[in-house]
Amino acid sequence: MYEYEYDEFFIGGHWVAPAGDGTVEIISPATEEAVAVIPEATEADIDAAVSSARAAWDRRTWRDLYPAERGRKVLRLAEVLDSRADDIARRVTLEMGQPMALSARSQRGAIGLIRSFVDALDRIVFEERRTGPAGPALVRREGVGVAAAISPWNGPFFLSAVKVAPALLAGCSVIAKPADNTPLSGYVLAEAAAEADLPEGVLSVVPAGREAGAHLVAHPGVNKVSFTGSTDSGRKIAAVCGEQLKRVSLELGGKSAAIALDDVDIETLVPALVAGSFYNTGQACTALTRLVVHRSRYDEVVEAMAQAAKNMVVGDPLDQATQIGPLATAAQRNRVEAYIGIGKSEGARLVHGGGRPAHLPKGYFVEPTVFADVRNDMRIAQEEIFGPVLSVLPYDGTDDDAIAIANDSKYGLHGAVFTPDRARAEYVAARVESGTFTINGYVNNPAAPFGGVKGSGIGREFGAEGIDEFLEYHTINDPAAA
Ligand code: NAD
């Protein structure tokens, strides 16, 4: 009756029966039918994964390899994942409704990202001899220990890969904890790890809910937590890690602004915003969900965005032509619909969408929605909706006035400016408070550090900086050797 049935977890290289007898059904958001079942993880399963990871760390087999050797093993893992890429894409689409065309691109992108981490190893100095007033010292960089990789449901495979690969390359033993409502690609990761013959204990994959996740974070056997998810959860996790003085990095929410200056080229703006605002049905932390437009071009831009939203294909996510799938869960649809209600009651003008598509009676669908006449103090401009809802705000005055609106946010993840004028674009780019930014487009670059400022998080992923997050310094002084 299910498409996928699992009754074990992958713990330290072995398929292991769960400690409890609970199960979790995976519901397709497109059909509202159960498509898979997995065991429900308990604290005992997490304990088993941590104990296996610690034993591997203490055996030193993985951490003592030359980084290039770890790189070769991780490349082998990427090769196996590559052979399963279509399968991974379909699973992600099935479990969380990511449109298939996007899912295929995104999962291949994740595998490319794993390879780009291996390339980035060359940029890290793992051992360096220095001489100073206290004599010679060997400065070594080594893995931080046992790392927990906690990822959310909106990009289950990508957001696991972006943590697991750099942690492995750093020499850590890794426990991946995908969200328990989107576990299916995590099972492929586990199968690939077995096929790639990673040493025992080095990788565990335990899809789990919040409680088991909290147990993992607080576990004394874990040295580092890498978390992607909501700002509220991030704050709680950081507090636990702070109490225990445990390393933590946080990739959290966003409310990123795209700024359209008075000379904006609409032909460039619209496709970038269609991709950037409605990416993954708006369930993307980097989504450009505020569009700040100079008053002189405002009506024209509102009209173009309303038309673009109207033209988007909403439907079965398994259909290659679909651009907007369902929201991932019923709870997420409730949240998005509540925000649409809030936007109306705050006095924003609904120019497209706002409801459920009439042709899709089943599934957690919401139409791509555009609000105009949004003020930046409205909740729909300040709070992360995490759905296909774009708020368009007018600004008067200079480029600095637009920058001030963009920066009047508790978040700081991404941003964009649209203008053919390079100097003005660079002026704006330098002044918007965000971890990443795009000029005349919407791009996440795997070769460059990615992450947030303010409420969007602490730490960076991608590139050598992503591996740095899992490394510790170890200085060995040897004064007599002088
Ligand atoms: P969430 O915070 O509820 O859950 C994320 C993951 O953390 C899940 O695996 C969950 O089981 C686990 N979790 C939750 N509370 C935990 C706790 N106290 N201890 C340990 N684990 C815990 O978030 P969500 O609703 O699943 O995801 C959506 C959010 O993630 C959005 O706010 C979005 O912006 C954010 N996000 C950020 C990025 C980024 O890179 N900055 C990327 C994707 C999503």
Side-chain angles (χ1 to χ4, degrees):
M1 133 196 189
Y2 298 113
E3 268 199 56
Y4 300 96
E5 272 183 74
Y6 291 98
D7 56 7
E8 290 172 320
F9 294 123
F10 185 74
I11 293 186
H14 303 283
W15 290 101
V16 175
D21 54 11
T23 55
V24 180
E25 273 194 333
I26 313 307
I27 308 295
S28 152
T31 61
E32 304 182 33
E33 309 276 335
V35 287
V37 65
I38 63 160
E40 182 180 23
T42 60
E43 294 184 357
D45 300 308
I46 298 293
D47 290 343
V50 176
S51 130
S52 165
R54 281 239 71 85
W57 178 253
D58 292 339
R59 274 196 303 278
R60 307 191 70 102
T61 326
W62 182 246
R63 70 199 262 207
D64 279 355
L65 288 179
Y66 284 112
E69 284 181 49
R70 287 197 295 269
R72 273 193 287 282
K73 279 280 186 194
V74 170
L75 280 181
R76 171 74 190 126
L77 176 66
E79 193 178 272
V80 180
L81 288 168
D82 228 353
S83 70
R84 305 277 308 266
D86 293 340
D87 180 17
I88 298 170
R90 189 171 181 284
R91 287 171 184 240
V92 170
T93 297
L94 203 63
E95 69 190 358
M96 61 74 64
Q98 182 167 93
M100 193 60 197
L102 169 63
S103 184
R105 250 194 347 267
S106 170
Q107 316 326 327
R108 288 203 186 274
I111 297 164
L113 186 72
I114 295 174
R115 295 195 164 104
S116 77
F117 277 120
V118 177
D119 293 341
L121 277 178
D122 289 345
R123 297 192 34 233
I124 297 175
V125 180
F126 279 89
E127 280 202 0
E128 188 191 355
R129 291 191 185 277
R130 294 191 198 172
T131 305
L138 177 65
V139 178
R140 298 181 63 236
R141 305 205 70 190
E142 56 184 24
V144 69
V146 172
I150 302 180
S151 45
W153 46 261
N154 63 315
F157 181 67
F158 193 100
L159 297 172
S160 281
V162 75
K163 299 177 184 313
V164 169
L168 287 174
L169 291 168
C172 294
S173 305
V174 188
I175 299 154
K177 191 209 83 59
D180 61 354
N181 59 324
T182 52
L184 299 181
S185 58
Y187 276 99
V188 180
L189 175 64
E191 287 157 11
E195 198 178 329
D197 217 9
L198 287 182
E200 176 160 354
V202 159
L203 180 64
S204 296
V205 183
V206 186
R210 287 205 169 117
E211 275 173 34
H215 184 69
L216 176 62
V217 167
H219 201 298
V222 170
N223 303 97
K224 153 92 195 186
V225 176
S226 174
F227 171 78
T228 296
S230 64
T231 298
D232 283 349
S233 305
R235 211 169 262 128
K236 287 185 197 136
I237 287 169
V240 173
C241 293
E243 184 62 36
Q244 298 186 354
L245 295 180
K246 186 178 276 184
R247 294 262 306 264
V248 63
S249 46
L250 306 167
E251 299 293 344
L252 308 176
K255 192 76 196 178
S256 301
I259 300 176
L261 300 185
D262 53 8
D263 59 357
V264 60
D265 171 26
I266 303 253
E267 305 287 304
T268 307
L269 176 78
V270 173
L273 264 279
V274 165
S277 308
F278 299 116
Y279 183 85
N280 203 21
T281 314
Q283 301 163 117
C285 51
T286 53
L288 300 168
T289 48
R290 289 183 296 154
L291 174 55
V292 182
V293 186
H294 193 267
R295 179 89 61 188
S296 63
R297 307 293 302 281
Y298 189 69
D299 292 343
E300 192 188 341
V301 167
V302 167
E303 171 58 35
M305 285 314 303
Q307 191 55 47
K310 195 172 164 194
N311 292 344
M312 292 190 86
V313 181
V314 185
D316 178 0
L318 286 167
D319 186 331
Q320 287 286 344
T322 294
Q323 292 170 287
I324 297 274
L327 292 159
T329 59
Q332 194 57 23
R333 179 171 66 178
N334 290 344
R335 175 189 164 99
V336 171
E337 289 182 332
Y339 271 109
I340 291 171
I342 290 167
K344 288 181 194 162
S345 67
E346 285 179 313
R349 177 165 56 99
L350 188 64
V351 292
H352 183 74
R356 300 179 180 186
H359 68 290
L360 295 163
K362 273 251 174 221
Y364 310 133
F365 292 92
V366 171
E367 293 172 308
T369 297
V370 179
F371 276 113
D373 303 349
V374 177
R375 287 191 326 270
N376 204 44
D377 61 358
M378 290 179 179
R379 287 182 62 192
I380 58 164
Q382 288 294 327
E383 297 176 18
E384 185 178 53
I385 299 173
F386 227 53
V389 182
L390 174 67
S391 296
V392 194
L393 298 79
Y395 77 93
D396 297 291
T398 66
D399 299 355
D400 287 319
D401 295 296
I403 293 166
I405 294 173
N407 288 342
D408 176 18
S409 170
K410 63 183 175 193
Y411 294 112
L413 191 56
H414 195 59
V417 64
F418 291 87
T419 170
D421 184 327
R422 304 279 333 153
R424 285 175 80 189
E426 284 167 19
Y427 180 92
V428 174
R431 283 162 183 77
V432 171
E433 296 158 355
S434 64
T436 58
F437 194 87
T438 307
I439 294 175
N440 290 320
Y442 172 72
V443 171
N444 290 304
N445 187 342
F450 167 82
V453 299
K454 305 198 282 189
S456 292
I458 298 173
R460 291 294 178 267
E461 297 192 309
F462 297 2
E465 294 79 3
I467 303 174
D468 274 347
E469 295 282 344
F470 295 95
L471 288 171
E472 192 55 277
Y473 284 100
H474 186 201
T475 297
I476 300 172
N477 292 299
D478 192 2

